[in-house]
Amino acid sequence: MLVYLFALLLLALLVLLYRYLPNRRAFACFCLTLALAGLITYTCWPRTQPAAKLSEEQRYDIQQQQQIFAVWYGTYQKNLKQLDHNWRWYHQILEEFKEDNISIQTAHVRLKQLEEEEKALTAAIANDAPPLALHDACYDLATAVFEKTKAYAAAQQNAITLTRAASEPRFLPSDDQEEQSRALQTVMEKESPVGLFTAGEIKEIQQLLSLPEGEGSDA
């Protein structure tokens, strides 16, 4: 659209020059210079080459890789959702105890139950390595996601375990509820893992497994 608008403006300018420029030879030279400049620009301007069409074998291979990754990623997302659920439950237990809505005994029992669930989840995550059938580039990126998530899950489990240990009623240094709550909060603040950042790797994998436009659905 902008090209057409520019052409119309240029045409109008040429008409005005032709009408008001007294020297026709100067007008002819101007038009010739303009035409040469346009030709040089058109010749040297970089052109976007159309993407090469995939062969049937290439398309099939990408679709197979999409399916392999999708199966693994589905399990990964399920585990990630459970990690988030457990972490929110952990904070809920500490908050309820802080507000004195539950006793230290109840908090300890809930933390112990959560710890068992977290241990099972951490083991499941550690056993869910990316499939070897993924091509090298995708496999390396998926492995980076796997290692980050495994480390995050282990750190989260460690925080829950240490908080459960600190909530053992017979080992608490004080019977004061506020002091007990502060002790648990201190463990939580000290041991909480940093955020899990894997969006960059996941985006790269999706780009690698994407079919060109018009070639079909992507991952």
Side-chain angles (χ1 to χ4, degrees):
M1 186 65 182
L2 289 175
V3 174
Y4 293 120
L5 182 60
F6 178 75
L8 287 174
L9 290 174
L10 185 59
L11 182 60
L13 177 62
L14 289 175
V15 170
L16 289 174
L17 286 173
Y18 180 80
R19 184 171 181 180
Y20 294 105
L21 197 64
N23 190 329
R24 295 291 184 258
R25 181 176 295 178
F27 176 76
C29 289
F30 174 79
C31 290
L32 181 60
T33 303
L34 192 64
L36 287 173
L39 180 61
I40 293 171
T41 302
Y42 177 79
T43 304
C44 299
W45 193 266
R47 292 173 177 77
T48 303
Q49 296 296 328
K53 197 170 181 65
L54 295 178
S55 67
E56 288 297 327
E57 291 78 8
Q58 290 173 319
R59 187 183 301 108
Y60 176 78
D61 182 61
I62 292 176
Q63 289 171 340
Q64 288 295 106
Q65 288 289 297
Q66 288 176 351
Q67 293 177 16
I68 293 168
F69 176 72
V71 171
W72 177 79
Y73 191 54
T75 302
Y76 171 81
Q77 287 184 307
K78 181 180 177 182
N79 289 336
L80 202 63
K81 185 177 180 181
Q82 188 61 42
L83 266 179
D84 181 64
H85 169 77
N86 287 1
W87 198 237
R88 284 187 283 110
W89 185 18
Y90 169 69
H91 281 274
Q92 182 180 340
I93 294 169
L94 296 187
E95 188 62 26
E96 288 188 2
F97 179 61
K98 181 180 179 181
E99 297 297 323
D100 205 13
N101 293 328
I102 58 175
S103 65
I104 188 61
Q105 290 81 6
T106 300
H108 179 71
V109 169
R110 292 182 182 179
L111 285 168
K112 191 172 183 179
Q113 180 185 355
L114 174 59
E115 180 187 17
E116 293 304 312
E117 293 194 16
E118 185 73 8
K119 283 181 178 179
L121 178 60
T122 301
I125 289 172
N127 289 327
D128 188 36
L132 294 173
L134 285 172
H135 292 336
D136 289 349
C138 288
Y139 179 80
D140 291 343
L141 289 165
T143 298
V145 171
F146 167 68
E147 293 295 341
K148 285 183 179 182
T149 308
K150 186 170 65 171
Y152 179 88
Q156 182 169 300
Q157 179 193 320
N158 184 61
I160 293 171
T161 295
L162 292 177
T163 308
R164 186 270 307 156
S167 70
E168 180 69 49
R170 57 182 174 162
F171 296 142
L172 285 167
S174 173
D175 292 331
D176 182 75
Q177 188 272 341
E178 290 187 2
E179 289 187 20
Q180 292 174 344
S181 177
R182 280 197 295 271
L184 299 189
Q185 292 288 331
T186 297
V187 176
M188 180 268 290
E189 292 168 3
K190 182 180 177 181
E191 302 297 335
S192 290
V194 296
L196 177 61
F197 305 105
T198 59
E201 290 89 345
I202 297 299
K203 184 178 180 180
E204 284 190 60
I205 293 172
Q206 290 173 336
Q207 289 173 343
L208 286 171
L209 298 181
S210 294
L211 289 168
E213 275 189 58
E215 294 281 353
S217 60
D218 51 32

